[in-house]
Amino acid sequence: MGTFRALILTIAMICGLTACADSKESSPVNQDPVSQNNKPATSAASAVYTGTIVYKTFEGGFFAFISTDNKRYTLRHLPEAYRLDGLVVEITGSVNKDIITTTQFGDLLEVDAVKVLDDRHARPPESGPRKLKSL
């Protein structure tokens, strides 16, 4: 009876692996799709968002954005020059709901352009010797 179970489990595993290999769909989580102009493909049109860039220490640290209407976003492709906690900016970009992050801080906002509105309270985050990254 044990051999029969092992045979059934082996057949089930082979069928499952074959089904995965033949699948035409792929997971957006494991890919970074790029459009013709080398910008990431996004699920929505670009818009302008006004608010404050904030640094969060969760998961090793990341840069987030809180808009003036109190919506929260995780920033992706934020240029290094704008990686300052407390920087008030206008971001042109689009929300990408096709990518999952571990930040648990709102939707992912793909940054196309940044315009500084107020840098009086901006400061580099306290991070130690490592170099901080944007998603």
Side-chain angles (χ1 to χ4, degrees), residues 21 65 85 88 94 107 116 131:
F65 181 74
D85 188 35
V88 178
S94 53
D107 292 326
V116 175
K131 184 172 179 157

Side-chain angles (χ1 to χ4, degrees), residues 98-114:
D98 294 334
I99 296 177
I100 298 171
T101 69
T102 59
T103 63
Q104 301 176 5
F105 197 84
D107 292 326
L108 186 78
L109 180 58
E110 302 270 5
V111 177
D112 294 329
V114 179

Side-chain angles (χ1 to χ4, degrees), residues 1-21:
M1 190 69 170
T3 305
F4 181 71
R5 275 191 197 167
L7 179 62
I8 295 298
L9 286 173
T10 303
I11 291 171
M13 285 181 15
I14 291 171
C15 290
L17 292 174
T18 303
C20 289

Side-chain angles (χ1 to χ4, degrees), residues 15-134:
C15 290
L17 292 174
T18 303
C20 289
D22 290 341
S23 175
K24 299 283 186 221
E25 293 184 27
S26 59
S27 171
V29 175
N30 296 329
Q31 295 183 358
D32 189 11
V34 178
S35 65
Q36 299 283 345
N37 61 1
N38 289 335
K39 287 284 186 184
T42 55
S43 60
S46 280
V48 176
Y49 302 85
T50 304
T52 305
I53 294 174
V54 293
Y55 179 73
K56 298 293 184 182
T57 58
F58 180 72
E59 284 295 316
F62 68 95
F63 289 93
F65 181 74
I66 301 175
S67 66
T68 53
D69 59 352
N70 221 21
K71 291 186 180 173
R72 297 169 177 240
Y73 302 93
T74 295
L75 295 175
R76 184 164 189 230
H77 302 298
L78 178 67
E80 193 169 339
Y82 304 105
R83 295 179 191 172
L84 299 168
D85 188 35
L87 187 65
V88 178
V89 295
E90 189 176 88
I91 292 179
T92 303
S94 53
V95 173
N96 187 338
K97 294 187 184 249
D98 294 334
I99 296 177
I100 298 171
T101 69
T102 59
T103 63
Q104 301 176 5
F105 197 84
D107 292 326
L108 186 78
L109 180 58
E110 302 270 5
V111 177
D112 294 329
V114 179
K115 177 182 174 185
V116 175
L117 301 177
D118 184 0
D119 63 356
R120 289 178 290 169
H121 302 289
R123 65 189 181 286
E126 298 174 20
S127 64
R130 67 188 166 146
K131 184 172 179 157
L132 299 171
K133 296 181 180 178
S134 175

